[in-house]
Amino acid sequence: MTDFRAFRIRHDDAGHRAGIETMDTSGLSPGEVLVKAAWSSVNYKDALAGTGKGKILRQYPLNGGIDVAGHVAASADPAFREGDAVLCTGCGLSETRDGGYGEYVRLESRWTIPLPRGLSLRESMALGTAGFTAALALLRLQDNRQAPSLGPVAVTGASGGVGMLAIDIFSRAGYAVHAISGKAEHFDFLRGLGAAECIDRHALAFSGKPMDSVRFGGALDNVGGATLAGLLPLIAPYGNLALCGNAGGIAYEGTVMPFIIRGVSLLGIASAGTARDLRARVWQRLAGDWKPRHLDRIATREATLEELPQVFDQMLAGGSFGRTLVRHRDAA
Ligand SMILES: NC(=O)c1ccc[n+]([C@@H]2O[C@H](COP(=O)([O-])OP(=O)(O)OC[C@H]3O[C@@H](n4cnc5c(N)ncnc54)[C@H](OP(=O)(O)O)[C@@H]3O)[C@@H](O)[C@H]2O)c1
C-alpha cells in the first residue's frame, strides 16, 4: 500500500465536493495495472465533473481526470512490466473508475496502451482525449473514403482542444482545412496550425434549404445543433461529416436529402468506447505520420492538482485557450 494525493470528487447528501485528499492504493478502483501517474490533462468533461456542473461521474466518490499517462508500478498482467510507459484515455476514467487526477491510478489491462515510440508521456497528454478524438475522426473519415480531392474539410469549434488538434492533424495528412470559429482574434493562430481558411461562425449564414451548393468535401463537427443541420447540405457527394461534439446543442433539424441524393455519411465519433484495436491504430498514427507539428503551441499551460478548480472555472467561463496539462509531482 502506498499513500498518495488525488483530486477526488464526492457527491452525497451534502452536495458536490471536490478537492485534494490523501488515500492509499488499496482504495483505488480494481484493475490489473497499477500506474504511477506522471501527466494528465484538462478536457471540458473534466471541468464539468470537477465542478459538479455536469453529471459525468456515474458513481461516487472517484478521482477525476479522464486521461492519464505514467509508468507501471505493478502489474498482474504479464503483458506489462514495472517501469513500462503507458497511457489511457476515456475507458471509464472519472466516470465509473478512478481517473488520472490521482498520483496513482489502477487500470484494466485491456484499456492500457503502451506509450507508442515517437511520443513522450507529456506529449501523449498534450494530445489526450482531444487529440485521440480528432485522429479517430480522421481514421473513420478515411475508412469511409474521405480523400483530399473531395474538397476542403470544415472543422467547427476550431479554437477548442479537439478543433486545434484536428487542424494540425488533418492538414498534416494532406487535407485543406477550413476552420470555423467564433474567435476571429485567433484566426492567425489557427492559420499557423495549418488552417487554409478561417471562417467566422457568427457570419456563417446557413440557407436552411434541404440541399445547397457544395462547399466542403467533408467536416469534423464539434458543435452539433444548428451547425450540424447547416453543414450537411454543403457536403460533397459521398463526403462525410464526422460528428463528435455538442458545444452548440444536442438537437438538430434536418432532412434526409444530403444522405439520399448526395450519399453523404454522418459518422459518429465516441472516443471513450473505442475498441482496443482501433484505439491502438489511432495512437500509432498520432505517434507517427499524424503527430501534430504544433503541440507545444496548443498545450500551453501546466497545472498542479491544487490549481485544478481555477482551471475548471476559467474553462467553463469560456476563458481558456489551448490545452492544459496536469503535471504530477514526479513528472519528468
Ligand atoms: N465524442 C467524443 O468522443 C468527444 C471527445 C472529446 C470532446 N468531445 C466534445 O467535442 C466538443 C469539443 O471538445 P473540446 O475539448 O475541443 O471543447 P472546447 O475546448 O471547450 O472547445 C469547444 C469549442 O466549440 C466552440 N463553441 C463553444 N460554444 C459554442 C456554441 N454555443 N456554438 C458554437 N460553437 C461553440 C468554441 O470554438 P470557437 O469559438 O472556435 O467556435 C469552443 O472553443 C465538446 O462538445 C466535447 O464535449 C467529444
Side-chain angles (χ1 to χ4, degrees):
M1 282 193 326
T2 310
D3 282 347
F4 67 93
R5 294 176 328 133
F7 182 87
R8 199 155 176 81
I9 302 167
R10 296 180 176 273
H11 188 90
D12 51 29
D13 293 345
H16 170 89
R17 280 171 293 140
I20 310 287
E21 295 186 21
T22 299
M23 56 189 290
D24 72 62
T25 47
S26 68
L28 283 168
S29 309
E32 298 83 7
V33 190
L34 180 67
V35 173
K36 184 151 201 277
W39 296 94
S40 181
S41 76
V42 183
N43 300 278
Y44 197 75
K45 200 167 161 182
D46 293 311
L48 291 174
T51 55
K53 297 216 163 101
K55 185 151 172 42
I56 305 297
L57 274 64
R58 282 181 260 154
Q59 64 183 69
Y60 296 92
L62 285 179
N63 297 339
I66 64 170
D67 296 338
V68 71
H71 291 104
V72 173
S75 176
D77 182 333
F80 295 96
R81 283 186 301 186
E82 192 180 334
D84 285 354
V86 294
L87 66 94
C88 184
T89 56
C91 300
L93 296 181
S94 182
E95 277 183 16
T96 54
R97 46 189 305 113
D98 290 309
Y101 295 165
E103 291 170 335
Y104 280 86
V105 58
R106 195 174 275 119
L107 303 173
E108 291 177 286
S109 57
R110 64 192 172 125
W111 299 128
T112 307
I113 302 288
L115 183 74
R117 193 186 299 273
L119 279 184
S120 67
L121 288 172
R122 188 181 185 283
E123 286 173 329
S124 76
M125 289 294 100
L127 291 162
T129 285
F132 179 80
T133 302
L136 173 65
L138 183 53
L139 204 72
R140 299 260 287 133
L141 288 164
Q142 290 193 337
D143 283 351
N144 211 33
R145 302 168 61 88
Q146 186 73 43
S149 57
L150 275 181
V153 173
V155 172
T156 63
S159 75
V162 177
M164 284 194 218
L165 287 160
I167 292 171
D168 199 329
I169 293 167
F170 285 33
S171 61
R172 189 169 175 195
Y175 295 83
V177 177
H178 287 194
I180 300 177
S181 169
K183 303 193 182 78
E185 67 276 21
H186 293 314
F187 281 4
D188 283 345
F189 180 89
L190 299 180
R191 283 191 200 97
L193 298 182
E197 265 189 43
C198 292
I199 301 163
D200 185 344
R201 84 163 128 95
H202 303 298
L204 191 64
F206 296 119
S207 70
K209 292 191 260 176
M211 298 287 275
D212 210 336
S213 307
V214 168
R215 183 159 178 189
F216 304 113
L220 168 60
D221 184 20
N222 283 297
V223 172
T227 302
L228 168 62
L231 281 175
L232 283 167
L234 307 179
I235 305 288
Y238 283 96
N240 302 277
L241 186 150
L243 173 65
C244 85
N246 59 354
I250 57 168
Y252 75 101
E253 266 181 47
T255 78
V256 299
M257 300 307 267
F259 307 113
I260 65 172
I261 302 297
R262 291 205 179 128
V264 169
S265 294
L266 182 55
L267 306 177
I269 307 300
S271 62
T274 310
R276 183 173 172 113
D277 60 329
L278 203 53
R279 200 170 273 280
R281 261 176 82 197
V282 171
W283 280 110
Q284 285 305 332
R285 301 301 294 265
L286 280 170
D289 58 339
W290 288 354
K291 184 172 176 180
R293 286 173 286 206
H294 307 100
L295 265 186
D296 49 350
R297 278 196 237 163
I298 294 170
T300 44
R301 296 194 304 169
E302 288 182 8
T304 60
L305 293 180
E306 286 77 9
E307 289 164 338
L308 281 174
Q310 130 197 12
V311 174
F312 295 156
D313 287 345
Q314 202 179 355
M315 183 174 242
L316 294 183
S320 45
F321 181 70
R323 300 248 313 140
T324 299
L325 286 150
V326 177
R327 184 191 188 107
H328 285 292
R329 279 190 293 190
D330 293 337

